[in-house]
């Protein structure tokens, strides 16, 4: 048996509840993992609230770290007793243990602890695809990155610094701006006090940035387009403020032949070989010291509702984890 968090109807943090579920043995291509820690991400809130609908009842949580207890037929890259971490669909990581597909489960290097492993996979793999699989980036390019003091943002600040990319980060308080700068942002903008479009134009001598990486969505989308240079790339990869409403595609031409993409991590990691390569790259960045995973908050698994409240209030910084 394993303790798991489920929800039976969309709503606030209060809809989550604990149930006891039988585990069973892994089938072909599956493993059973005993968690030590689980990651918390904003996608969990989208799913719980119904922004991203799930068949109900359903579990929550997209990443975790722990020990492989059993391996199903055909699994070659993992063995019983391996230390592992993963980001993977379908949701269900908020639990003591689970049986799941092995394809996106990655062997965790000895130098990376379980808390860090649980905190880094979804956010770190997101940064990996943003910088290496979405648009060609090179040293000297300029990127505008919204929510730069969040879990993804702090990894992106460091990743950009390691690649020689000039990252302009936005955040909502002076403290968060200072944190983003500490972690590698070349410039920071407090959007609560400054118009980020005007400030970006000042920082780029009127040219605009090469790429915008925007997980905020509705509140920043139009302004983000106005920050781009001609033929620049807008990467919209989240909806923290709500979904971007429909718009006239001709706007992209009028604003300078802009490019727009809406990627998701789970398309990039759908194939086992690609997922394992991306994870190896992330692990190398962390073990080399180029990227530090900042865990700003830890919660016991039973306090998952409070964790969601704090994330929705935007009172968190860095990554957050549940300790099992």
């Amino acid at each position: 048996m394993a303790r798991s968090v489920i929800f039976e109807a969309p709503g606030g943090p209060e809809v989550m509840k604990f149930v006891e579920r039988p585990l069973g043995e892994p089938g072909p291509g599956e493993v059973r993992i005993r968690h030590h820690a689980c990651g918390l991400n904003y996608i969990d809130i989208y799913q719980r609230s119904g922004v991203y609908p799930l068949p109900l009842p359903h579990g929550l949580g997209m990443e975790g770290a722990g020990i492989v207890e059993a391996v199903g037929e055909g699994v070659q890259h993992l063995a019983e007793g391996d230390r592992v971490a993963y980001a993977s669909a379908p949701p269900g990581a908020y639990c003591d243990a689970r049986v799941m597909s092995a394809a996106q489960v990655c062997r965790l290097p000895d130098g990376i602890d379980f808390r860090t492993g649980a905190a880094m996979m979804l956010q770190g793999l997101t940064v990996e695809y943003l910088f290496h699989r979405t648009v060609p980036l090179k040293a000297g390019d300029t990127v505008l990155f919204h929510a730069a003091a969040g879990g993804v943002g702090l990894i992106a600040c460091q990743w950009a610094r390691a690649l020689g990319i000039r990252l302009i980060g936005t955040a909502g308080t002076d403290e968060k701006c200072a944190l983003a700068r500490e972690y590698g942002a070349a410039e920071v903008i407090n959007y609560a006090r400054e118009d980020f479009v005007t400030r970006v134009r000042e920082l780029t001598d009127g040219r605009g940035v090469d790429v915008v990486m925007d997980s905020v969505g509705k509140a920043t989308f139009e302004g983000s387009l106005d920050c781009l240079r001609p033929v620049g790339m807008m990467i919209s990869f989240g909806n923290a403020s709500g979904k971007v409403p429909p718009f006239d595609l001709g706007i992209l031409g009028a604003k300078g032949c802009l490019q727009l993409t809406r990627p998701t991590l789970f398309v990039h990691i759908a194939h086992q070989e690609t997922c394992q390569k991306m994870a190896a790259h992330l692990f190398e960045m962390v073990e080399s010291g180029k990227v530090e995973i900042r865990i700003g908050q830890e919660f016991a698994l039973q306090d998952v509702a409070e964790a969601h409240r704090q994330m929705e209030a935007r009172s968190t910084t860095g990554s957050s984890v549940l300790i099992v």
Side-chain angles (χ1 to χ4, degrees), residues 132-249:
H132 297 280
R133 298 170 191 273
T134 308
V135 60
L137 284 168
K138 62 184 183 303
D141 285 345
T142 300
V143 169
L144 174 64
F145 201 101
H146 291 296
V152 177
L154 292 182
I155 296 171
C157 288
Q158 298 172 84
W159 209 292
R161 179 171 58 188
L163 297 178
I165 291 167
R166 183 191 186 201
L167 185 144
I168 301 171
T170 72
T173 68
D174 289 341
E175 293 76 15
K176 288 186 175 183
C177 285
L179 185 62
R181 189 182 290 278
E182 176 188 344
Y183 275 71
E187 307 285 351
V188 291
I189 301 169
N190 182 340
Y191 60 75
R193 291 193 292 101
E194 297 181 278
D195 178 72
F196 72 84
V197 177
T198 300
R199 186 63 181 137
V200 164
R201 289 292 172 180
E202 291 172 352
L203 290 170
T204 60
D205 297 323
R207 175 179 179 271
V209 300
D210 299 294
V211 178
V212 176
M213 299 179 180
D214 187 342
S215 64
V216 176
K218 182 178 179 180
T220 53
F221 181 77
E222 188 171 344
S224 292
L225 293 179
D226 290 334
C227 291
L228 285 165
R229 64 162 172 80
V231 202
M233 170 66 83
M234 169 73 174
I235 305 173
S236 177
F237 69 101
N239 310 306
S241 67
K243 289 185 177 181
V244 175
F247 70 100
D248 179 0
L249 195 62

